[in-house]
Amino acid sequence: MRINYVQDAHKNTHQDIFALIEKPSRYLGSENNCIQKHSKDVSLRFALAFPDLYEIGTSHFGIQILYSILNEKPYIAAERVFAPAMDMEKQLRANKIPLFSLESRRALSEFDIIGFSLLYELNYTNVLNMLDLSAIALRARDRTAQDPLVIAGGPCVCNPEPMAEFFDVMVFGDAEHLILDLTDQFMDWKKRDGKDKTALLQQLAKIKGIYVPSLFDDYAGAEGFQRLRPKQSEYIKVQRAIVPDLEKAPFPQSPVVPFGRPVHDRLKLEISRGCSRGCRFCQAGMIYRPVRERSPENLIKIYEKALKTTGYEDLSLLSLSTADYTCLEQLMGELMQRCQSQRVSISLPSVRAGKLTAHLMNLIKKVRKTGFTIAPEAGSQRLRDVINKNVTYEDVADTIENAFEAGWKVIKLYYMIGLPTETDEDIDAIISMVNRLKTIKGPKHRRGQINVSITTFIPKAHTPFQWAAQIPLETSREKLDKLKSSLKKPGIKLKWQNPQMSFLEGVLARGDRKLSHVIQTAWQNGSRFDGWTDHFDFDLWKKSFEKCRVDMGFYTTRKRRIDEPLPWDHMQSGVCRDFLRKQWETAQQNGKKIIDCRYGKCHQCGVCDFEHIKPVIYDNCSISDSFENHLADKGDDHYQWLLLDYSKLGQSRFFGHLEQTRLFIRAFRKAGVDVRYSGGFHPMARFRFDNPLPLGMESESEQFMALVAKDINCQKLVTQLNSNLPEGLQINSCSVSPGKKIKTVVCDYYKVDFGRIPLDIKSLEYYHLVENWPVCLYGKKANCRNIDLKEHVCRIKLLDDQNVYIKINRMDTFMIRPAVVLDTVFHVSSENQKHIRIRRLAQDKSV
């Protein structure tokens, strides 16, 4: 259910521009489980900002965690804001509307704190764009105590320096406990006087995990290296914040369910955090140590509550290495009993070869087969040993063979090029390995599809390879060209990341504060959404580097000395420099492997103190909460078709047909309705909808049918569904359908509000005078159907100087929408039609 305390006055001031953009539901802010609070009850407003599109940001689990933690406090209003798409930015600037939050549509400049999630270096210019759209000064030094406190968190804070000039505070590490310390300190400061910003920053710097860039001066050291000089003797290093026990950490059990189609449209269950496999290239494997698992019993409880509050059809088990979860088979068995009964599929992210057993695959496919990715990373065993990827060809082959045998038809493989010590033979080994894997056959000797993804290796901070050189652009292109030509075969599909994007990411990942000028220059020159191929402009970035006189190669294509200062030396991840150095030297000398410390000796990486911070593993895999599976097929006789009438008014007119269908299906799931599903490998809920409305059109009466259990009470169902539907989408009535099809409508009635678009009355008068009105209707294949509009449009009546009534006959083979009348009778362009509001009426209201 959407938690809705009281909507602010800002709520209805932006809908005019929603009609002018491509995906307006991104900005509605009325999703299930979103939280809106009354201004008078709130002492602190916190904007959770994500510098990418809504579909990306709403898939980020970290925002869901913070949103839940902050909003549990009645005096804090946490709201969300995402980078507006290019069409939305254009409308905001043209109409002089500041960037606003989703929940209250309040301008970002009116918030106390704005917290950005920095997950990807190629989103940096979006941060600047969001601040500029909010009329907030870009650089921290130019903001006063009256401006919002602008903070950042996420993995990019491992090396904060390229963006340090733009933030007042940066959060390093787990934020679950830290975030409320920060808000408490902020509110205390506000109560005192709220004027001395320096005093606030000095107080915040005392919190473990908080980095205040302004408390460090940067200066140019020898050989062009940037050095940082602490301003305070007691504030020299920044220690990463670590949640020691996930069992006691907050978990969002009523997460916001996004509109549209987010990239990860499923319930997320974080089963563990951290990885100690020791892959030498992997930043996440170093900075999220140690491994901390949640107990299977707790995970089952979280799943059951979260499923009831979301209605999701898919579940994803989140972890850096899901297959390493100690009780995975037992957890999967218990989850699958529930998921199979509730028609919920389970997906695992990238899985370690050799860990995904045939038994696990058979559990996963009980509802439907979800995809998975295997990451060998390198083609040769020599290079896999160098990077400490403890996987063999046999592990990968066995996993793929098990998958094909279990009925999977597509397997994804992930490789990197440009790894330290890589040779031409290692590239050949990728080709050889993929070709060998392609020969593996499934049932009836059929071969599956192998999808291969290639990216250029990027050395990252706080890893043993932080001193490595990134291969030059030309070298990356040559290696890719060889792979593309050699793997261009039936049954193999190759994808790759643009090497220029990888190169820029490498520069930004290991840069210093000098890059802030480059980033700002690139943004000023139009750089936006650099992580999206269709927006990325490498030439623009090159010109920005040249203008700022910064050498890109200085940060990427040279091997760094062990003794040279690194821009992130003051950020202490917990993994000591000596451990990283030894692992770097081992990789270059003999590639000797180390095993996961969970299964062997401690490697002295430095993270654990073995008192407060230590690995948390659950060896006891028993789950006391039993569950009985009630999935037994009841047959069609157990079900009946219901006919439901609904209205789609207000901002719900901005839902597309597919997302509206998902909203209804999830409302049924949340209501616990027994819905009939189709058979086959991908079971679907049995729903039937009438002709979909065009995006932006309202309707007082639409219909759909649902095949549900015969014991459903219609009156109760209407109440349950409406409590789980977003604003403007409402079930009006429910009845048992006499047939299996929706009754054909004879006529459609519309009220058209021209708003600020001039209504051409003379054209209407002329239309009424003539006997025929020939029109060419164009179908999907651009073929023309010649009709007489007057034979199908029964009536066009002027209601006043702004509103028109239209009555149209419904045809069997085609449908005439009001847009045809607006175009051919009133001569309104398609662009101007976006400003016109059309409502389909439930009945003839012309009199």
Side-chain angles (χ1 to χ4, degrees):
M1 178 178 183
R2 183 168 56 88
I3 302 171
N4 185 359
Y5 295 109
V6 175
Q7 297 180 19
D8 285 301
H10 301 69
K11 190 67 179 176
N12 298 311
T13 59
H14 302 92
Q15 287 198 32
D16 288 346
I17 63 173
F18 290 167
L20 309 178
I21 57 179
E22 183 182 355
K23 294 182 180 179
S25 66
R26 289 168 168 164
Y27 312 100
L28 297 183
S30 58
E31 307 100 315
N32 273 325
N33 300 331
C34 77
I35 300 173
Q36 300 164 342
K37 297 184 180 180
H38 198 296
S39 297
K40 69 180 180 63
D41 299 326
V42 171
S43 303
L44 184 142
R45 290 191 173 275
F46 198 124
L48 293 167
F50 195 91
D52 209 329
L53 293 179
Y54 175 88
E55 292 85 347
I56 308 297
T58 52
S59 298
H60 176 45
F61 190 58
I63 279 190
Q64 295 274 25
I65 293 174
L66 296 178
Y67 188 81
S68 174
I69 292 172
L70 292 167
N71 277 315
E72 280 185 358
K73 303 297 181 183
Y75 51 86
I76 298 178
E79 304 185 14
R80 299 159 299 140
V81 61
F82 303 92
M86 304 291 266
D87 59 346
M88 183 62 165
E89 179 189 344
K90 180 181 177 181
Q91 293 299 328
L92 292 174
R93 293 192 185 279
N95 292 280
K96 295 182 171 55
I97 299 175
L99 184 61
F100 52 86
S101 68
L102 299 191
E103 281 77 2
S104 67
R105 298 196 185 144
R106 183 180 295 273
L108 255 63
S109 58
E110 298 178 26
F111 282 79
D112 298 295
I113 302 174
I114 302 173
F116 283 90
S117 296
L118 299 183
L119 272 70
Y120 185 29
E121 291 83 357
L122 298 192
N123 284 339
Y124 285 171
T125 55
N126 285 356
V127 173
L128 274 58
N129 200 45
M130 293 172 74
L131 290 173
D132 183 68
L133 283 167
S134 308
I136 297 172
L138 302 185
R139 292 185 177 264
R141 64 170 178 259
D142 298 325
R143 295 192 290 267
T144 69
Q146 284 70 49
D147 291 310
L149 186 75
V150 182
I151 72 175
C156 289
V157 178
C158 285
N159 177 23
E161 295 314 305
M163 292 292 285
E165 296 279 350
F166 305 113
F167 291 105
D168 300 302
V169 168
M170 303 181 88
V171 176
F172 187 31
D174 299 332
E176 284 97 328
H177 298 159
L178 173 158
I179 195 67
L180 291 179
D181 288 342
L182 186 150
T183 55
D184 287 346
Q185 294 282 4
F186 183 90
M187 286 189 290
D188 288 344
W189 170 74
K190 277 282 190 183
K191 288 175 184 176
R192 288 196 301 272
D193 62 6
K195 295 179 181 179
D196 187 351
K197 189 174 179 179
T198 301
L200 170 66
L201 296 177
Q202 289 175 343
Q203 191 65 28
L204 292 177
K206 297 177 182 179
I207 301 173
K208 184 176 181 179
I210 291 290
Y211 173 47
V212 180
S214 61
L215 297 183
F216 289 80
D217 283 328
D218 66 298
Y219 66 95
E223 302 178 46
F225 299 120
Q226 179 209 49
R227 302 299 299 267
L228 291 177
R229 181 188 294 113
K231 294 182 179 180
Q232 299 178 350
S233 58
E234 69 275 13
Y235 188 58
I236 299 174
K237 303 287 185 181
V238 179
Q239 298 290 332
R240 176 170 65 100
I242 301 174
V243 171
D245 188 356
L246 290 189
E247 286 289 275
K248 299 175 183 177
F251 193 97
Q253 297 187 15
S254 297
V256 176
V257 182
F259 293 142
R261 181 60 86 174
V263 292
H264 299 299
D265 190 20
R266 57 184 69 100
L267 179 63
K268 303 167 189 70
L269 196 62
E270 186 189 31
I271 62 174
S272 67
R273 191 177 299 178
C275 177
S276 49
R277 284 277 180 178
C279 298
R280 294 174 178 128
F281 61 86
C282 183
Q283 186 182 62
M286 297 293 164
I287 66 170
Y288 291 121
R289 292 184 174 204
V291 173
R292 290 145 289 160
E293 295 183 346
R294 280 190 170 90
S295 69
E297 195 153 1
N298 189 22
L299 289 168
I300 292 294
K301 292 176 181 177
I302 292 171
Y303 162 77
E304 289 179 337
K305 183 172 181 180
L307 189 70
K308 290 177 182 177
T309 64
T310 60
Y312 274 119
E313 310 88 354
D314 299 278
L315 168 68
S316 180
L317 303 185
L318 296 186
S319 169
L320 288 177
S321 183
T322 303
D324 284 327
Y325 180 74
T326 308
C327 299
L328 183 61
E329 292 215 3
Q330 292 86 347
L331 176 65
M332 283 287 292
E334 290 291 334
L335 281 174
M336 210 63 237
Q337 286 190 60
R338 293 157 173 80
C339 290
Q340 191 176 8
S341 176
Q342 296 153 341
R343 302 284 187 178
V344 175
S345 66
I346 298 181
S347 63
L348 307 180
S350 179
V351 294
R352 176 169 286 270
K355 285 281 189 175
L356 191 61
T357 63
H359 176 62
L360 279 174
M361 291 182 188
N362 286 324
L363 285 174
I364 292 171
K365 74 174 186 177
K366 282 186 177 181
V367 175
R368 60 178 171 268
K369 300 188 195 75
T370 53
F372 58 83
T373 301
I374 301 171
E377 313 290 0
S380 69
Q381 191 60 52
R382 182 201 69 82
L383 192 52
R384 286 195 291 273
D385 291 346
V386 166
I387 65 177
N388 203 51
K389 184 77 177 184
N390 290 305
V391 168
T392 65
Y393 170 81
E394 288 72 25
D395 292 332
V396 177
D398 289 346
T399 303
I400 292 178
E401 186 172 358
N402 288 337
F404 285 163
E405 284 290 337
W408 267 263
K409 297 179 180 179
V410 180
I411 299 296
K412 299 176 184 177
L413 298 175
Y414 177 84
Y415 294 93
M416 287 187 287
I417 57 173
L419 287 160
T421 78
E422 182 183 77
T423 65
D424 290 342
E425 287 73 22
D426 295 306
I427 299 298
D428 292 336
I430 294 177
I431 298 166
S432 174
M433 184 176 184
V434 173
N435 284 327
R436 288 176 67 191
L437 294 173
K438 182 64 188 71
T439 64
I440 297 174
K441 298 178 181 178
K444 299 181 181 180
H445 300 285
R446 293 176 180 171
R447 291 177 179 171
Q449 171 84 23
I450 303 288
N451 290 349
V452 181
S453 180
I454 304 288
T455 60
T456 301
F457 165 68
I458 302 167
K460 290 290 180 89
H462 302 283
T463 71
F465 289 172
Q466 64 183 356
W467 292 283
Q470 186 169 338
I471 59 173
L473 261 177
E474 190 55 41
T475 304
S476 183
R477 291 193 187 100
E478 290 171 359
K479 293 175 185 287
L480 268 177
D481 287 343
K482 183 174 184 178
L483 289 168
K484 285 189 278 187
S485 62
S486 301
L487 295 176
K488 191 175 182 181
K489 298 177 179 180
I492 299 174
K493 185 176 182 180
L494 186 67
K495 291 184 178 181
W496 59 91
Q497 186 180 43
N498 183 342
Q500 293 177 334
M501 297 173 76
S502 299
F503 190 79
L504 178 61
E505 182 183 343
V507 175
L508 298 177
R510 294 194 295 169
D512 52 28
R513 290 195 185 184
K514 285 180 287 195
L515 294 192
S516 67
H517 302 288
V518 180
I519 293 167
Q520 186 168 348
T521 301
W523 166 75
Q524 289 169 337
N525 291 337
S527 178
R528 309 280 192 280
F529 294 102
D530 297 298
W532 295 78
T533 305
D534 50 345
H535 294 300
F536 179 68
D537 187 341
F538 190 61
D539 289 338
L540 184 153
W541 276 96
K542 285 200 299 184
K543 291 176 183 177
S544 300
F545 274 93
E546 290 166 2
K547 184 176 181 179
C548 296
R549 298 181 180 180
V550 175
D551 177 19
M552 298 176 79
F554 179 78
Y555 300 104
T556 52
T557 55
R558 66 179 185 87
K559 187 176 178 179
R560 303 196 181 193
R561 299 193 320 270
I562 287 291
D563 62 342
E564 76 175 72
L566 299 173
W568 52 90
D569 278 342
H570 55 302
M571 307 299 286
Q572 302 293 294
S573 71
V575 178
C576 63
R577 188 184 180 102
D578 191 52
F579 172 79
L580 298 177
R581 176 186 60 78
K582 289 178 180 177
Q583 287 298 300
W584 172 229
E585 291 171 350
T586 298
Q588 296 175 93
Q589 293 167 4
N590 54 31
K592 183 180 179 181
K593 298 181 292 182
I594 60 172
I595 64 170
D596 192 329
C597 63
R598 280 174 288 188
Y599 314 119
K601 66 176 184 179
C602 172
H603 299 297
Q604 304 297 315
C605 74
V607 168
C608 298
D609 59 15
F610 297 101
E611 182 177 354
H612 301 292
I613 307 299
K614 56 187 176 182
V616 179
I617 308 295
Y618 284 90
D619 296 321
N620 181 5
C621 299
S622 62
I623 299 172
S624 60
D625 186 17
S626 60
F627 180 85
E628 185 177 350
N629 193 330
H630 300 288
L631 186 65
D633 191 352
K634 300 166 186 174
D636 287 339
D637 292 342
H638 178 74
Y639 298 91
Q640 64 183 1
W641 284 102
L642 293 185
L643 179 66
L644 296 103
D645 183 274
Y646 68 95
S647 54
K648 186 179 181 181
L649 304 174
Q651 67 176 26
S652 71
R653 71 187 188 276
F654 297 119
F655 295 131
H657 178 66
L658 292 179
E659 62 184 315
Q660 174 188 288
T661 300
R662 282 195 296 275
L663 288 170
F664 280 128
I665 292 174
R666 285 175 179 169
F668 271 78
R669 293 179 63 84
K670 288 181 68 177
V673 179
D674 182 4
V675 177
R676 181 67 163 157
Y677 277 73
S678 63
F681 291 112
H682 195 83
M684 303 292 290
R686 298 282 296 278
F687 281 73
R688 290 175 180 167
F689 285 83
D690 200 2
N691 289 318
L693 290 172
L695 186 68
M697 183 184 290
E698 294 179 291
S699 178
E700 295 176 352
S701 178
E702 295 293 310
Q703 294 183 330
F704 72 93
M705 296 176 67
L707 188 58
V708 303
K710 289 182 178 179
D711 59 357
I712 296 298
N713 180 292
C714 259
Q715 186 176 356
K716 183 180 178 182
L717 178 62
V718 169
T719 302
Q720 289 176 315
L721 293 178
N722 285 335
S723 68
N724 291 309
L725 288 172
E727 177 185 331
L729 202 59
Q730 179 175 301
I731 304 294
N732 300 322
S733 66
C734 165
S735 61
V736 177
S737 175
K740 297 181 180 180
K741 293 183 179 180
I742 297 174
K743 187 178 179 180
T744 303
V745 175
V746 177
C747 291
D748 293 306
Y749 314 101
Y750 300 95
K751 180 185 176 185
V752 182
D753 183 350
F754 277 70
R756 63 192 180 106
I757 302 299
L759 202 165
D760 190 346
I761 299 176
K762 289 186 177 181
S763 292
L764 179 59
E765 291 173 347
Y766 179 67
Y767 172 84
H768 287 315
L769 288 174
V770 300
E771 185 175 347
N772 305 104
W773 199 268
V775 168
C776 177
L777 293 181
Y778 286 96
K780 293 182 179 179
K781 296 181 180 179
N783 54 319
C784 175
R785 180 195 294 269
N786 292 303
I787 65 166
D788 181 0
L789 195 65
K790 287 208 157 189
E791 290 181 3
H792 307 289
V793 178
C794 308
R795 193 174 189 190
I796 306 178
K797 179 183 178 181
L798 189 67
L799 300 178
D800 53 41
D801 60 357
Q802 186 175 312
N803 293 280
V804 168
Y805 165 84
I806 303 174
K807 179 181 179 181
I808 304 175
N809 284 334
R810 184 79 69 92
M811 301 293 107
D812 292 333
T813 55
F814 63 95
M815 192 169 187
I816 298 174
R817 294 289 193 186
V820 177
V821 178
L822 294 176
D823 177 24
T824 62
V825 177
F826 293 98
H827 310 297
V828 181
S829 68
S830 57
E831 190 61 32
N832 280 339
Q833 285 186 33
K834 295 177 182 178
H835 297 276
I836 293 175
R837 196 156 176 172
I838 303 172
R839 175 178 291 194
R840 185 171 180 262
L841 306 174
Q843 56 187 352
D844 192 344
K845 298 180 181 180
S846 61
V847 181

